[in-house]
Amino acid sequence: MTGQQRVAIVTGASGGIGRAVAERLAADGMSVLVHYAGNPARAEETVRAITEAGGTASAARADVAEESEVAALFDLAEQRYGGIDVVAHTAGVMHLSPLADLDLAEFDRLHRTNVRGTFVVDQQAVRRVRQGGAIINFSTSVVKIALPGYAAYAATKGAVDAMTLILAKEVRGRDITVNAVAPGPTATPLFLDGKDQATVDHMASMAPLERLGVPEDIAEAVSFLAGPARWINGQVIYTNGGII
């Protein structure tokens, strides 16, 4: 890729971790297509932050679970920037409930976005990403630490782990890495919504570093996997400050 502008698609980049990832990859010198699902104003804020810092970015909408819309998103990246080297799939939804009480309509919504959405995005990514590129999915540390209330959400991310590990083997010979980042408790609206201060404080205390993660912590891991980390492949990287 020497001498060629690298290009990244970041899904869910209108806020939270996705925005931090988009800004970081742009700061690393990549042209970034900022994907959003339903909030164009916030997506344009991400684009503006990148361009005001001297980077290159534009925004586009798609439902990650719809094949035609995701294909059009990838088409757009190729048309605007000439190709695709990195796909960071941060888009996802979360709903918390004890397993016994969960409305199955919520389970289906989680599955559609987190499992089908990852499958659809990965399908386009593996067809389009250029040699030397990287596909980075998003899992969660809750798959390992097994917090009550997270059964449905963690189940969808367990599926993401499986897809990631298998896809890494299916791209043999193409010099493309496939990994997943698994954040722990991170101070974003997705995480903080509905939690009282005592719960937030408890979860902050779980890490030996005694704080919540911030989106920039997660973006740092994505930057590593998207750029220099060519010998890390087929892994789920727990990005959580040391929570076991």
Side-chain angles (χ1 to χ4, degrees):
M1 304 305 298
T2 303
Q4 183 174 305
Q5 180 77 39
R6 284 168 64 79
V7 178
I9 295 175
V10 181
T11 67
S14 61
I17 289 171
R19 174 171 176 165
V21 168
E23 292 184 7
R24 176 60 185 263
L25 295 183
D28 291 343
M30 299 186 198
S31 299
V32 179
L33 185 61
V34 171
H35 160 268
Y36 66 95
N39 197 323
R42 287 178 61 197
E44 288 300 335
E45 288 175 12
T46 304
V47 170
R48 187 161 53 251
I50 289 170
T51 56
E52 287 177 355
T56 301
S58 58
R61 185 204 166 277
D63 177 346
V64 293
E66 286 296 331
E67 181 182 17
S68 61
E69 295 187 20
V70 174
L73 181 75
F74 277 70
D75 288 343
L76 193 60
E78 291 174 338
Q79 291 161 10
R80 287 180 181 174
Y81 302 120
I84 302 161
D85 303 288
V86 173
V87 176
H89 179 48
T90 82
V93 295
M94 182 167 65
H95 181 83
L96 304 184
S97 168
L99 187 149
D101 302 329
L102 181 68
D103 183 336
L104 289 176
E106 287 292 346
F107 183 83
D108 290 342
R109 185 177 73 93
L110 287 168
H111 191 278
R112 184 180 188 279
T113 298
N114 296 352
V115 181
R116 179 186 166 99
T118 299
F119 198 95
V120 170
V121 169
D122 279 5
Q123 220 174 33
Q124 291 298 319
V126 77
R127 295 170 182 172
R128 314 274 196 123
V129 166
R130 295 186 285 205
Q131 183 175 359
I135 299 169
I136 302 156
N137 290 324
F138 263 68
S139 180
T140 175
S141 291
V142 180
V143 172
K144 181 169 69 171
I145 60 179
L147 294 173
Y150 284 80
Y153 176 69
T156 67
K157 295 301 190 175
V160 170
D161 289 357
M163 281 186 264
T164 300
L165 304 187
I166 292 168
L167 186 58
K169 295 182 178 180
E170 291 183 348
V171 295
R172 173 183 289 273
R174 292 180 54 193
D175 190 26
I176 294 170
T177 62
V178 185
N179 294 288
V181 172
T186 305
T188 66
L190 182 69
F191 169 77
L192 295 171
D193 184 43
K195 293 183 175 70
D196 60 31
Q197 190 59 47
T199 300
V200 172
D201 291 344
H202 170 69
M203 297 188 82
S205 73
M206 293 171 67
L209 298 175
E210 297 188 326
R211 65 173 176 86
L212 294 176
V214 295
E216 290 74 18
D217 293 322
I218 315 306
E220 184 173 51
V222 174
S223 172
F224 184 55
L225 295 171
R230 299 308 302 167
W231 200 234
I232 298 176
N233 190 27
Q235 304 297 318
V236 178
I237 307 298
Y238 287 90
T239 314
N240 60 25
I243 298 173
I244 297 175

